Amino acid sequence: MRRRFNGAGLLLAAAAAVYLAAAWLSRPGFYDGFAPPPDSYRWVQPPAGVTSNGQKPLPGQAVLAVSSDHSRVAGGTVATGDQPPQAEVVIQPGALVAPNLDTVSVELTPQAAAGRPADALVVGNLYCLTSSVSLTQGEQLQLILRYSDQLPGANAVYRYDDETRSWVELRAVRNPKAATVTAAVPALGCYAPAAHSIATTSSGATVVVGNRWLPYVAAGTILLVLFAGLPLYLRLRRDGRSRSKS
């Protein structure tokens, strides 16, 4: 009898261990059921499998002053109107070519990404950085992009060239706590956050490598363990009743 109880205990312990491991590795929302909460990220066009929050992303614009002798454009920051901003650009003084005007404008416009890089998954909107003037040769701007909380965390920034329909990767620094990725961009243009943690099946389908499906796998494993232990439980209960009658 003791061995039987030990067997049932081991099954329950295994189920509990699987559940705790899944809860530890999964993002917040595991305990809310199997329907993921809406993404806090504002999408132009959410990808398949992402629950949209129904809010459209906002653009950003800034007006920078030009020195009185028209030799230098002031520095500043351009951020989208989302809270927190989904895209932000830090411009150093003199980074933009000074025109024969009093001010210059800089805009950030969200767009839906046209496809994706061959070796990465786009995990946010494509943000196009434009200005009434060009970037000074040799200068760079600091671009900060926020990414979706329902997809793998971004570890790269890609520039999209609409003419050649190609993607170019830039070196980037990830901040998991803020869910942002930062890169120095050498030109105006369109940029998107991306994650390298993807794989492609033989049929060409994209598979996200991460813990997104872990709660489902864990739940299935727990049910399997419990169903496997059910016959043992019923047998122990039947034996207990037989002994009580005798």
Side-chain angles (χ1 to χ4, degrees), residues 158-192:
Y158 277 79
R159 182 176 188 269
Y160 179 69
D161 189 324
D162 189 47
E163 292 184 0
T164 61
R165 297 185 179 276
S166 61
W167 296 85
V168 178
E169 182 181 359
L170 304 177
R171 288 186 178 182
V173 177
R174 179 184 175 187
N175 183 345
K177 187 175 182 179
T180 60
V181 63
T182 303
V185 298
L188 303 176
C190 299
Y191 299 88

Side-chain angles (χ1 to χ4, degrees), residues 210-224:
N211 62 4
R212 183 178 177 186
W213 295 103
L214 184 58
Y216 301 92
V217 175
T221 304
I222 292 170
L223 290 175
L224 182 63

